[in-house]
């Protein structure tokens, strides 16, 4: 469908760009910081931020802006219309109870993963993970199993970003190394991350497929590195993840 530019609302698009600049790493920002992150000029960023504050979607202390819980209504409305979280949550809860560790399901959105369901036994990262949380796809176990399902052409926008930002000293930052790892993930059917997204955190993930065999999401188990070696992840948790993968395959579309 072709959309005429005259039918678009530039102000709404700019406001959404401003909202997207607020992340777990940047929850509190000034007008200057938002303008730089969004690519908007300062006057436009200021108007967007003040509009969000007036509508109750942001707090303003005279210098810095922070989003309020009201903005969650936007994401909640989206998640509520997606059958995936509703389908996977009961299975995820059972998995987490069985293994005594936290587990999550995410989808791929460009170069990031977006959490859509989570069953937490304990907090495993310095930031609180919940539905709607985002992390880089290239250094997360769920991201890698979903990236491994993409074609070379589909991977090009991501590979063009290399060298990737190093979240820890162990993060793979080279495009060639990432391609080698994705080939290994594709061959093995699972991905293991050893302290690449945050020191002290290990995780293992498998893709979730629909009835036609297309990867639509990923599920992982994440835990402190002190609780399990890389080999433990495969021997203790991979069989549980594979069973969940099989149970969900006929339910996902």
């Amino acid at each position: 469908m072709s959309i005429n530019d005259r039918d678009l609302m530039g102000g709404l698009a700019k406001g959404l760009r401003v909202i997207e600049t607020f992340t777990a790493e940047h929850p509190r920002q000034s007008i200057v910081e938002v303008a730089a992150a969004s690519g908007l000029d300062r006057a436009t960023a200021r108007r967007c931020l003040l509009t969000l504050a007036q509508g109750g979607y942001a707090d303003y202390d005279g210098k810095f802006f922070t989003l309020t819980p009201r903005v969650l209504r936007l994401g909640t409305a989206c998640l509520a219309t997606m059958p995936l979280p509703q389908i996977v949550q009961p299975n995820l809860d059972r998995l987490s109870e069985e293994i005594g560790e936290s587990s999550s399901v995410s989808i791929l959105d460009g170069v990031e993963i977006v959490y859509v369901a989570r069953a937490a036994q304990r907090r495993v990262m310095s930031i609180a993970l919940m539905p709607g949380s985002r992390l880089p796809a290239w250094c997360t176990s769920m991201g890698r199993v979903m990236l491994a399902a993409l074609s070379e052409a589909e991977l090009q926008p991501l590979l063009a970003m290399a060298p990737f930002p190093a979240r820890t000293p162990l993060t793979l930052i080279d495009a060639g190394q990432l391609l080698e790892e994705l080939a290994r993930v594709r061959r093995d059917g699972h991905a293991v991350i050893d302290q690449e997204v945050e020191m002290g955190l290990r995780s293992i993930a498998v893709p979730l497929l629909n009835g036609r065999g297309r990867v639509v999401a990923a599920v992982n188990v994440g835990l402190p590195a002190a609780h399990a070696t890389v080999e433990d992840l495969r021997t203790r948790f991979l069989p549980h993840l594979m069973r969940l993968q099989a149970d969900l395959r006929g339910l996902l579309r």
Side-chain angles (χ1 to χ4, degrees):
M1 176 182 175
S2 177
I3 300 177
N4 194 303
D5 287 346
R6 292 176 298 179
D7 294 326
L8 303 181
M9 292 182 62
L12 176 59
K14 291 172 184 176
L16 293 173
R17 282 164 62 183
V18 165
I19 290 174
E20 289 181 345
T21 67
F22 290 88
T23 64
E25 291 80 13
H26 303 284
R28 186 169 177 263
Q29 300 186 93
S30 67
I31 292 171
V32 173
E33 290 169 328
V34 169
S38 65
L40 301 172
D41 60 69
R42 293 184 189 182
T44 302
R46 177 178 177 274
R47 289 197 300 273
C48 289
L49 287 166
L50 291 176
T51 301
L52 289 171
Q54 178 67 23
Y57 292 98
D59 281 331
Y60 180 43
D61 64 7
K63 183 176 182 181
F64 294 102
F65 289 84
T66 55
L67 296 183
T68 68
R70 186 183 181 94
V71 81
L72 292 175
R73 294 183 183 182
L74 305 177
T76 302
C78 172
L79 290 173
T81 63
M82 295 173 60
L84 178 63
Q86 300 166 17
I87 293 171
V88 302
Q89 190 65 58
N91 300 72
L92 208 58
D93 291 337
R94 283 195 295 271
L95 170 67
S96 193
E97 285 294 325
E98 286 175 9
I99 63 178
E101 300 290 351
S102 299
S103 57
S104 307
V105 169
S106 72
I107 58 174
L108 188 65
D109 182 20
V111 298
E112 295 180 313
I113 62 170
V114 182
Y115 283 71
V116 297
R118 180 159 170 79
Q121 291 289 321
R122 59 177 64 84
R123 184 164 172 167
V124 296
M125 288 189 67
S126 59
I127 61 172
L129 295 175
M130 63 191 74
S133 294
R134 290 173 173 265
L135 286 174
W138 63 84
C139 60
T140 52
S141 58
M142 290 190 286
R144 284 189 182 165
V145 293
M146 290 187 283
L147 291 175
L150 300 181
S151 66
E152 261 189 56
E154 290 171 320
L155 283 172
Q156 282 310 306
L158 170 64
L159 298 177
M161 294 173 55
F164 308 109
R167 291 182 63 103
T168 79
L170 301 178
T171 306
L172 290 184
I173 63 172
D174 179 74
Q177 289 179 319
L178 179 62
L179 282 174
E180 289 179 9
E181 182 60 24
L182 293 181
R184 187 178 302 111
V185 170
R186 200 174 295 117
R187 180 196 69 209
D188 297 342
H190 68 270
V192 171
I193 292 293
D194 185 9
Q195 305 180 86
E196 289 191 51
V197 67
E198 184 170 298
M199 293 304 294
L201 173 67
R202 291 188 175 121
S203 67
I204 183 169
V206 301
L208 292 178
L209 301 87
N210 62 17
R212 299 184 298 279
R214 185 172 69 87
V215 174
V216 295
V219 58
N220 87 335
V221 173
L223 65 161
H227 289 193
T229 66
V230 169
E231 189 52 36
D232 287 337
L233 293 179
R234 293 189 174 96
T235 57
R236 289 169 52 190
F237 303 119
L238 184 56
H240 291 276
L241 290 171
M242 296 301 290
R243 280 197 296 273
L244 187 145
Q245 181 192 66
D247 290 344
L248 289 173
R249 183 161 183 168
L251 302 177
L252 302 181
R253 62 184 185 183

